[in-house]
Amino acid sequence: MKSQRLTPASFLLAGIIFLLLFGVIAWGVYFESNWIRSFDLSWIERIQGTISEGKTAFIMFITELGSMKAVIAMTIIICIVLFFKRKFAEGLWFGGTILFCAAIGGKVLKKIVERDRPNFLQLIEKTNESFPSGHATATTIFYGFIGMVLILSVYQIWKKVIISFITLVWIGFILFTRIYLGVHFPTDVLAGFLYGLAAVFISIGVYLLIREPLRQLLQKLHLADQSQAFKRAR
């Protein structure tokens, strides 16, 4: 994978901005602000007003592609493939991002905020904490991470636009399913999306900073790393 000239600072700055936006929503949710309640009720009414039996069956199937279990399973497969191709740095980077940012980070945030699930129409049963949405967090980090790497690996603007569009539409649809099924407030999925974007951008920034020391460490361990992500600048 190749890339344009990339600076860690720009990715870290973007990640911090998304993290601050997440913090604004988390603050409002934690202190039960009126604007949070109004926002949630408005979007729940709009989205759950379109419920139908056929649509529900389809959405219940699709939404599982964004579950933490599915994301972890796909991450393991991707990491195995990367390790098999001797792209150890990329495998550690990708796997580490999903593990620490999606699985562990999302769980810690849920325990801190401890928001109850919506008490409106629930089409599937969920019992654990609501904020931020685990599906939104896992989906945004997993698919957003892959989308960003692809975007940064192509020359043509039209390819970047197509990849961005497909990535955002897919993530957005998974987020929509969580509200439609009644298992999350809109601010749950919006917060998961913002936290996920922050994780993706910060992860890329950190990787740009540590990729060479990491590869040198792997060489000392007699692992000939063949990682190509962001190796060449254009």
Side-chain angles (χ1 to χ4, degrees), residues 135-147 164-178 189 192-194 196-197 200:
H135 275 66
T137 299
T139 295
T140 303
I141 295 178
F142 180 81
Y143 296 106
F145 186 102
I146 294 174
S164 300
F165 178 77
I166 293 174
T167 302
L168 288 174
V169 167
W170 176 247
I171 292 173
F173 182 68
I174 296 294
L175 270 57
F176 166 85
T177 67
R178 307 313 291 166
V189 300
F193 176 67
L194 292 171
L197 287 178
V200 169

Side-chain angles (χ1 to χ4, degrees), residues 30 104-115 128-132:
Y30 190 81
I104 297 176
K107 191 66 176 179
V108 169
L109 290 171
K110 280 179 177 287
K111 292 297 183 182
I112 292 174
V113 179
E114 289 192 324
R115 188 187 201 185
N128 61 337
E129 299 87 353
S130 183
F131 183 94

